[in-house]
Amino acid sequence: MAATMKKPKMINQQVGWCPGCGHGIIQRLIAECCEELDLAERTIQVVDIACAYWSIDTLNCDGIAGPHGRCAAVATGIKKVYPDSNVYVHAGDGCSYVIGLAETCYAAQRNVPITMIVVNNGIFGMTGGQMCPATTLVGDKTVSSKKGRDSHVAGEPFDMLNIIKNYDIAYAARGALYDPKHINATKKMLKKGFENQRDKKGFSIIEILSPCPTNWKMSPVDAMEKIKNENEKVYPIKVYVDNGGEANG
Amino acid sequence: MEDVTTKTRAKAQADTSLCKGCRLCVGACPKDAIIPLTEMNKKGYEIIRIEEDKCIGCGQCYTICPDYVFSIE
């Protein structure tokens, strides 16, 4: 029998993101993982009020967009009330690592069994391409760092997973989307995150290096090359934690 | 008995009305079977064409496409 690959049934509309945006690939990976693990019926998505918000219309499952940056806190609340649901966060780096840093850290500290998916595109995408203090690389030009990020003024970008891995959590890993091989590896990471939640093992965070061709002012192909040649050196693609923490739902 | 040699292999199908012209699939295809065109779809994006003879149905285009243009069947 010939192999078939088709868009997951959970995705019931066209996507609204810019051409070449990594969010579309991530949304498909999420939908595939939920369907393959038979979790689609009890999935509740928590999206940020930013680029990730598009998937609240596109995915055929329950969803909520809480206050900006507070996705991990909202997801924690949902998980406490509906412990059998499959709650995942789909948010960007600005939400999770800048305005919502406290929420992300305390969700990890409490080891709430949710799956947190952080899209690291190194920029504040929805607001027009400002510098992200956590993830924009030194030297990258944005609308709020016209001459490139200066580490004397804005500091150095930091690897948040290096901080989060110190909490007692189930899983922390970083994937990338620049070629099909890495996309498939990222899918395995996401699946592991959903499995940890299903088995009530604890907090799982998966960061994904994703392009933002519109705000990087590059073609989609060049943006993927930039991730491969520059971003991956600062944000290594690897599994940080995989130990299965205590259930705390 | 079914003849195995004439059995159709899985090939990539493209719904170019969804295409946004990002060209990621062109670089991802290992057989150079995806041809970028200057022709546009209704949204105004430049679309692609699949050369069916070259396609081996590997699914790399399906994997990398952010807009779900491809299906392999």
Side-chain angles (χ1 to χ4, degrees):
Chain A
M1 193 182 134
T4 58
M5 295 168 103
K6 261 189 163 178
K7 182 178 83 171
K9 286 179 187 153
M10 260 178 96
I11 299 170
N12 60 3
Q13 279 186 32
Q14 295 182 20
V15 291
W17 289 292
C18 308
C21 177
H23 274 280
I25 303 172
I26 294 165
Q27 181 180 261
R28 180 175 54 78
L29 297 181
I30 292 169
E32 283 178 355
C33 290
C34 288
E35 288 188 357
E36 285 167 22
L37 296 171
D38 203 16
L39 296 168
E41 289 294 317
R42 50 196 174 100
T43 296
I44 302 175
Q45 56 171 334
V46 181
V47 296
D48 184 34
I49 308 173
C51 292
Y53 190 85
W54 284 107
S55 73
I56 209 162
D57 288 335
T58 316
L59 282 185
N60 187 16
C61 66
D62 291 331
I64 183 169
H68 175 51
R70 275 68 194 174
C71 294
V74 173
T76 303
I78 295 171
K79 192 67 187 175
K80 297 280 180 193
V81 177
Y82 296 113
D84 291 331
S85 59
N86 176 41
V87 185
Y88 77 85
V89 175
H90 179 185
D93 45 359
C95 160
S96 312
Y97 293 167
V98 183
I99 188 171
L101 180 58
E103 283 75 10
T104 306
C105 285
Y106 280 94
Q109 183 253 342
R110 286 190 292 259
N111 201 14
V112 188
I114 57 171
T115 308
M116 184 147 186
I117 298 150
V118 181
V119 183
N120 178 352
N121 55 14
I123 208 159
F124 290 158
M126 182 61 96
T127 50
Q130 289 82 8
M131 184 192 79
C132 176
T135 54
T136 302
L137 302 185
V138 173
D140 276 8
K141 289 179 184 168
T142 65
V143 295
S144 58
S145 58
K146 295 273 186 195
K147 292 178 180 171
R149 179 176 181 156
D150 181 354
S151 59
H152 298 296
V153 176
E156 297 268 344
F158 58 91
D159 183 348
M160 261 306 291
L161 292 185
N162 259 338
I163 297 168
I164 293 178
K165 74 176 185 190
N166 296 313
Y167 294 103
D168 181 25
I169 59 173
Y171 192 68
R174 182 181 289 113
L177 301 175
Y178 58 77
D179 60 24
K181 181 185 157 199
H182 284 86
I183 294 173
N184 289 332
T186 305
K187 184 180 170 184
K188 281 184 188 150
M189 292 173 180
L190 290 175
K191 213 167 189 176
K192 181 84 184 167
F194 285 114
E195 283 169 353
N196 284 341
Q197 176 171 181
R198 183 192 62 190
D199 304 338
K200 300 199 188 312
K201 282 188 174 169
F203 184 79
S204 305
I205 183 165
I206 298 106
E207 183 186 315
I208 302 171
L209 300 181
S210 173
C212 181
T214 303
N215 288 311
W216 291 359
K217 298 181 175 49
M218 287 178 173
S219 74
V221 176
D222 291 345
M224 290 294 192
E225 285 296 312
K226 179 182 183 294
I227 295 180
K228 189 177 176 180
N229 300 329
E230 297 176 26
N231 295 38
E232 196 187 330
K233 293 196 170 73
V234 180
Y235 305 110
I237 294 167
K238 61 176 181 179
V239 177
Y240 286 74
V241 179
D242 187 6
N243 58 5
E246 287 293 310
N248 185 16
Chain B
M1 195 180 151
E2 202 177 1
D3 186 0
V4 182
T5 49
T6 56
K7 203 174 177 181
T8 50
R9 238 187 129 146
K11 300 267 181 191
Q13 312 283 329
D15 177 1
T16 50
S17 67
L18 300 171
C19 183
K20 288 184 183 161
C22 68
R23 308 300 196 219
L24 291 176
C25 52
V26 178
C29 182
K31 293 286 173 187
D32 297 328
I34 300 176
I35 314 294
L37 306 176
T38 50
E39 188 186 325
M40 290 182 191
N41 62 10
K42 274 190 181 170
K43 293 183 196 162
Y45 292 115
E46 293 183 348
I47 58 171
I48 47 87
R49 178 169 56 82
I50 301 169
E51 288 206 344
E52 282 215 359
D53 300 344
K54 289 186 185 172
C55 179
I56 54 169
C58 64
Q60 303 276 305
C61 50
Y62 169 87
T63 308
I64 205 153
C65 180
D67 295 292
Y68 323 134
V69 169
F70 298 96
S71 57
I72 313 293
E73 48 196 336

